[in-house]
């Protein structure tokens, strides 16, 4: 088991190196996408700053510092997920169009091969933004900042797993984009960057089950503000469950796969 983990880690690092080298071949595009994503996230923070200014710095028990956490931890999660595992957005396209052959020829898991097949350049802007905002959120508290980095990184599991699940489901209904895009980018990302207090009890049930925004932002924020080992264990257990479900659904989707004519070795 330990050897498998070690081999997969070595493979991931090598794939990451190749992806970054590929990104560096288009330095201008990489830098522009990073900057624009950074600016895009900055506008949302300016919006919240104006809202809190109008409401004298407090809005129904939510402080501006809570918003800083919401624009740090979940955005780090998003950045880690899509910068390091950007190939996740191609799962349904590869299966439906018969382009999985080159990944299946590799000795490693086809899923791991697909996940590490590319980096999303703009996601690096998200990652950098979240890391910087985390400094302001923690106000020099090193322990809290380390927790932000750890919890933000672990939260990427939920982005990756849900993307795998819904892109695999889209294979069955021959919908290459809509379901995955609406779920992961509209629902998951949006809910995880809004304060938990603004949602009713019915919505909160969804955010702790079907849409795992709670494990990306709400529980991590509670851990940082008031350390609770139970919350850490809960996030870990639910994360492992999501991973197993994602692998199961992906394998089911692969049963629908029909080899195409584009047989080539992935280097």
């Amino acid at each position: 088991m330990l050897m498998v983990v070690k081999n997969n880690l070595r493979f991931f690092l090598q794939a990451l190196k190749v992806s970054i080298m590929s990104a560096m071949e288009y330095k201008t595009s990489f830098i522009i996408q990073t900057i624009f994503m950074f600016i895009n996230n900055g506008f949302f923070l300016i919006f919240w700053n104006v809202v809190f200014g109008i409401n004298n710095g407090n809005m129904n028990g939510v402080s501006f510092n809570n918003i800083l956490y919401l624009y740090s931890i979940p955005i780090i999660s998003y950045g880690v997920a899509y910068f390091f595992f950007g190939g996740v957005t191609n799962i349904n396209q590869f299966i439906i169009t018969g382009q999985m052959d080159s990944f299946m020829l590799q000795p490693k898991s086809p899923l791991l091969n697909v996940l590490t097949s590319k980096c999303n350049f703009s996601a690096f802007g998200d990652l950098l933004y979240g890391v910087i905002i985390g400094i302001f959120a923690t106000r020099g508290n090193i322990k809290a900042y380390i927790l932000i980095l750890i919890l933000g990184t672990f939260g990427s599991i939920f982005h990756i797993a849900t993307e795998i699940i819904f892109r695999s489901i889209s294979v069955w209904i021959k919908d290459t984009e809509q379901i995955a895009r609406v779920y992961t980018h509209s629902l998951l990302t949006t809910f995880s960057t809004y304060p938990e207090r603004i949602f009713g009890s019915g919505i909160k049930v969804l955010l702790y089950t079907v849409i795992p925004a709670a494990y990306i932002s709400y529980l991590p924020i509670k851990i940082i503000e008031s350390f609770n080992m139970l919350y850490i264990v809960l996030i870990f257990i639910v994360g492992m469950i999501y991973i197993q479900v994602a692998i199961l659904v992906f394998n089911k989707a692969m049963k629908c796969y029909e080899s195409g004519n584009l047989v080539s070795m992935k280097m």
Side-chain angles (χ1 to χ4, degrees):
M1 181 65 181
L2 184 60
M3 184 59 67
V4 172
V5 173
K6 182 179 179 181
N7 288 338
N8 283 334
L9 179 59
R10 185 183 297 115
F11 171 79
F12 165 70
L13 293 175
Q14 186 62 35
L16 177 62
K17 178 182 176 182
V18 172
S19 294
I20 292 177
M21 288 175 63
S22 175
M24 289 301 99
E25 291 182 7
Y26 304 93
K27 289 182 181 179
T28 302
S29 176
F30 177 78
I31 293 172
I32 290 175
Q33 290 188 53
T34 298
I35 291 174
F36 273 95
M37 187 55 66
F38 198 96
I39 293 173
N40 179 66
N41 289 331
F43 279 123
F44 284 103
L45 203 56
I46 292 172
F47 162 76
W48 280 109
N49 192 38
V50 171
V51 170
F52 277 94
I54 295 173
N55 291 276
N56 299 316
N58 193 288
M59 189 173 62
N60 296 325
V62 178
S63 68
F64 186 66
N65 204 61
N66 294 138
I67 300 299
L68 289 178
Y69 280 129
L70 286 170
Y71 276 81
S72 176
I73 303 172
I75 291 181
I76 288 175
S77 299
Y78 182 93
V80 170
Y82 293 98
F83 180 69
F84 293 108
F85 302 96
V88 69
T89 57
N90 291 329
I91 287 176
N92 48 339
Q93 178 187 352
F94 287 164
I95 295 177
I96 291 174
T97 59
Q99 298 181 58
M100 286 293 294
D101 293 342
S102 59
F103 299 104
M104 296 172 69
L105 290 172
Q106 300 298 310
K108 301 298 179 183
S109 160
L111 178 57
L112 182 59
N113 266 284
V114 173
L115 294 180
T116 57
S117 62
K118 76 169 186 177
C119 289
N120 184 323
F121 297 170
S122 63
F124 185 77
D126 289 298
L127 177 56
L128 182 61
Y129 182 86
V131 168
I132 292 175
I133 294 300
I135 296 174
F136 294 99
T138 55
R139 301 176 182 178
N141 187 326
I142 302 299
K143 179 181 176 182
Y145 187 66
I146 292 174
L147 281 173
I148 280 181
L149 298 179
I150 293 173
L151 293 169
T153 301
F154 189 82
S156 65
I157 286 175
F158 295 97
H159 281 287
I160 297 167
T162 51
E163 188 92 51
I164 292 171
I165 291 169
F166 281 87
R167 286 194 179 274
S168 296
I169 289 175
S170 70
V171 170
W172 302 333
I173 62 174
K174 307 301 180 184
D175 178 358
T176 59
E177 289 298 328
Q178 280 301 107
I179 286 184
R181 184 174 296 277
V182 169
Y183 184 89
T184 58
H185 297 280
S186 298
L187 294 180
L188 183 58
T189 304
T190 299
F191 279 123
S192 64
T193 53
Y194 278 84
E196 182 181 10
R197 287 175 179 266
I198 71 174
F199 302 117
S201 56
I203 297 296
K204 286 182 180 179
V205 170
L206 292 177
L207 299 181
Y208 278 84
T209 52
V210 181
I211 306 171
Y215 308 99
I216 296 174
S217 58
Y218 309 150
L219 290 183
I221 291 174
K222 290 177 181 178
I223 290 169
I224 293 171
E225 293 179 337
S226 179
F227 190 82
N228 190 322
M229 183 57 70
L230 179 61
Y231 288 155
I232 294 177
V233 173
L234 180 59
I235 291 174
F236 179 79
I237 291 174
V238 176
M240 294 303 101
I241 291 174
Y242 262 86
I243 289 175
Q244 293 304 314
V245 172
I247 293 172
L248 176 64
V249 176
F250 172 78
N251 289 336
K252 290 288 185 181
M254 282 297 292
K255 291 184 178 180
C256 303
Y257 179 69
E258 295 182 4
S259 179
N261 298 319
L262 305 176
V263 179
S264 61
M265 285 294 292
K266 174 177 172 291
M267 301 303 291

